[in-house]
Amino acid sequence: MDRPGFWIFWGIIALVLAFIIGMIIDDFGIALGVSIAIIIIIWIIWYFVDKWQKENTEAAKKGQHKSTPTSNTKNSVSNHSTQNNKKPDTTTPQMQKATQQLQLKIGEAAFSGREDFFTITIPEIVTFIGFRAFYGCKNLSYLEIPKSVITVGDYAFGNCTKLERVVLSEGLQNIEDYAFWKCESLKKISIPSSIKKIGKHAFDGSGLSKIILANGITTINQSAFEGCKHLTELNLPDSLTKIESLAFSDCPNLKEVIFPDNLDLIGEDAFAMCESLEKLYMPDGLKTVSKGAFQGCFKLNEIKFSKSLQKIDEDVFTACIGLSELTIPDTISCIGKGAFRVCNGLDKIFIPKSVLNIDREAFAECEFMTIYTEFAEKPSGWDNDWNIDNCPVIWGYNKK
């Protein structure tokens, strides 16, 4: 018998009753028999009551298991077919299995290459979408990612060539490398303020013509929007401090970029080959414009330099053939190798006394240019090949 404490308690009660009965009838032997009978009756009654309770409890558990759907069934990835106006497809067994195995994660290559996905709504129990999870789902056109998702992993939706619309919810923190690489049909993206960094090549080669970046993002990593050939304008948020190398390179239709005041760095080749970019207004807090940052911007015809910029780096404005006249500000102390190479539309440039160093071939192939400078003669910090094409130099020029 279980519950020993219970039996000890009632045994004591039975003995007490036997003692009381014995005192009344003045025969303790009969009283003891009565007490034993009481104990046996109690045991029999409790046995059947206990058995009945256990049977009912087990039946209730079985009924609940049958009638209540699991969280995996309720929250599995929703995939709807939009063809022929058919009723949306039910969740596939593969999706149920993946969600069952990893409650909060869609794992590596879980649905990679599937051709039967047309629209996807990620369930709100998911927090992580893994490496190549939906890579190459070539018929996928619509994607909605809820606020529960923290990370979209490397290549997660890469090469989904028919993906036209993506909804990213506030709460998403990480868009990893190549996450939406080669999504050629994607025309617009809105990045929520919860994102601080955009991964390398995240939207490289996509069809984006409009990018909305909420205030909150601080870094756009290498090649994040490289090759977005339909992008025409860019308004960067105040929170942005770093644009890494190649971030917007080869965006041939990008005409206008509005830089935030807090921007500190423009990386190597960040806007290289943005052939349609016409004007460059650097914010005054910008300290570094790296090698090749604006090379190949053929239509660039106006530059406003940052007051914090001290060096025009190597090849920064190479082949900016739209430049015709340029004044170097007196905050600049160094002009790097090939900085204005092949700017063959440039016919006049003014160099102040603040520029103590000019590297070799800084103005190579600027064959129609005349150089005006406040220096009376070549400073020692100017390389012997700084003016390799022997453009005319007007020494001791007073611009005032």
Side-chain angles (χ1 to χ4, degrees):
M1 287 289 182
D2 55 0
R3 297 174 176 83
F6 175 84
W7 301 121
I8 292 170
F9 171 77
W10 282 105
I12 292 171
I13 294 297
L15 290 174
V16 170
L17 286 172
F19 178 77
I20 294 171
I21 294 169
M23 290 289 290
I24 294 171
I25 65 175
D26 196 26
D27 189 338
F28 192 76
I30 294 173
L32 184 61
V34 171
S35 68
I36 293 172
I38 291 172
I39 292 173
I40 291 172
I41 290 168
I42 291 172
W43 282 0
I44 291 171
I45 292 170
W46 179 254
Y47 173 81
F48 286 102
V49 169
D50 190 54
K51 183 178 180 181
W52 178 81
Q53 286 180 337
K54 286 181 179 180
E55 288 175 350
N56 276 276
T57 301
E58 289 297 320
K61 286 182 179 179
K62 289 180 180 179
Q64 184 179 15
H65 179 72
K66 289 179 180 179
S67 62
T68 305
T70 65
S71 61
N72 298 319
T73 304
K74 285 167 52 178
N75 296 300
S76 54
V77 179
S78 299
N79 170 42
H80 304 300
S81 170
T82 56
Q83 289 186 336
N84 302 322
N85 296 317
K86 291 181 180 178
K87 188 176 180 180
D89 294 340
T90 56
T91 304
T92 64
Q94 293 93 330
M95 284 185 174
Q96 290 181 359
K97 185 177 179 181
T99 311
Q100 201 170 39
Q101 290 173 344
L102 298 169
Q103 286 281 325
L104 301 178
K105 177 179 178 180
I106 297 178
E108 179 177 331
F111 309 111
S112 179
R114 292 289 295 268
E115 296 184 9
D116 56 338
F117 288 178
F118 302 97
T119 71
I120 293 176
T121 300
I122 304 297
E124 290 198 4
I125 59 165
V126 174
T127 60
F128 183 89
I129 301 174
F131 173 71
R132 294 175 67 98
F134 295 90
Y135 181 87
C137 292
K138 65 180 184 179
N139 290 315
L140 180 62
S141 63
Y142 175 86
L143 168 67
E144 185 173 345
I145 298 177
K147 62 183 179 181
S148 63
V149 175
I150 295 172
T151 299
V152 177
D154 295 352
Y155 291 96
F157 298 93
N159 205 28
C160 292
T161 54
K162 291 185 179 179
L163 184 58
E164 297 178 357
R165 189 180 176 202
V166 174
V167 178
L168 304 177
S169 299
E170 192 69 37
L172 182 64
Q173 296 179 19
N174 306 299
I175 298 177
E176 300 290 2
D177 301 347
Y178 296 90
F180 295 94
W181 176 73
K182 295 292 184 183
C183 291
E184 299 170 356
S185 299
L186 186 61
K187 303 301 180 187
K188 178 182 176 181
I189 194 70
S190 182
I191 307 293
S193 62
S194 51
I195 295 284
K196 305 306 176 188
K197 297 180 180 181
I198 298 177
K200 298 176 182 178
H201 299 272
F203 295 91
D204 181 358
S206 69
L208 289 172
S209 59
K210 188 171 185 179
I211 301 170
I212 301 172
L213 299 169
N215 200 36
I217 187 169
T218 61
T219 303
I220 298 175
N221 275 313
Q222 177 184 337
S223 300
F225 296 96
E226 180 179 358
C228 292
K229 298 187 183 299
H230 302 286
L231 187 63
T232 57
E233 61 183 35
L234 196 57
N235 191 346
L236 300 171
D238 292 337
S239 57
L240 188 66
T241 58
K242 290 180 173 61
I243 300 173
E244 298 288 3
S245 60
L246 295 159
F248 295 94
S249 64
D250 194 25
C251 294
N253 290 301
L254 183 59
K255 295 180 179 180
E256 181 182 9
V257 180
I258 299 175
F259 294 101
D261 292 337
N262 294 320
L263 189 65
D264 183 66
L265 166 72
I266 297 178
E268 290 189 16
D269 299 308
F271 292 89
M273 301 307 296
C274 290
E275 302 170 8
S276 299
L277 187 63
E278 297 179 354
K279 302 183 188 304
L280 172 59
Y281 300 145
M282 300 182 190
D284 286 336
L286 182 61
K287 296 177 182 178
T288 304
V289 179
S290 303
K291 177 181 176 181
F294 294 95
Q295 67 174 318
C297 295
F298 302 139
K299 293 185 179 180
L300 186 63
N301 57 55
E302 184 178 347
I303 300 173
K304 174 191 170 293
F305 288 95
S306 165
K307 292 179 180 179
S308 303
L309 192 66
Q310 297 182 6
K311 179 181 181 181
I312 299 175
D313 213 334
E314 181 178 344
D315 291 318
V316 167
F317 297 106
T318 291
C320 291
I321 59 178
L323 291 171
S324 59
E325 187 174 325
L326 196 61
T327 297
I328 305 297
D330 58 12
T331 57
I332 300 295
S333 61
C334 179
I335 298 176
K337 177 184 175 183
F340 295 93
R341 190 199 317 267
V342 200
C343 291
N344 49 29
L346 197 60
D347 57 19
K348 183 187 293 186
I349 189 169
F350 173 74
I351 303 174
K353 274 191 174 182
S354 63
V355 182
L356 301 177
N357 296 280
I358 299 180
D359 210 338
R360 62 193 303 266
E361 300 180 6
F363 306 101
E365 298 182 57
C366 297
E367 49 209 54
F368 304 110
M369 182 177 68
T370 299
I371 301 169
Y372 296 81
T373 178
E374 291 179 331
F375 287 105
E377 58 184 17
K378 182 180 87 66
S380 60
W382 291 19
D383 189 90
N384 289 334
D385 290 329
W386 73 278
N387 182 19
I388 195 168
D389 293 320
N390 293 316
C391 294
V393 181
I394 309 300
W395 300 100
Y397 178 77
N398 188 346
K399 193 173 188 296
K400 297 179 181 179

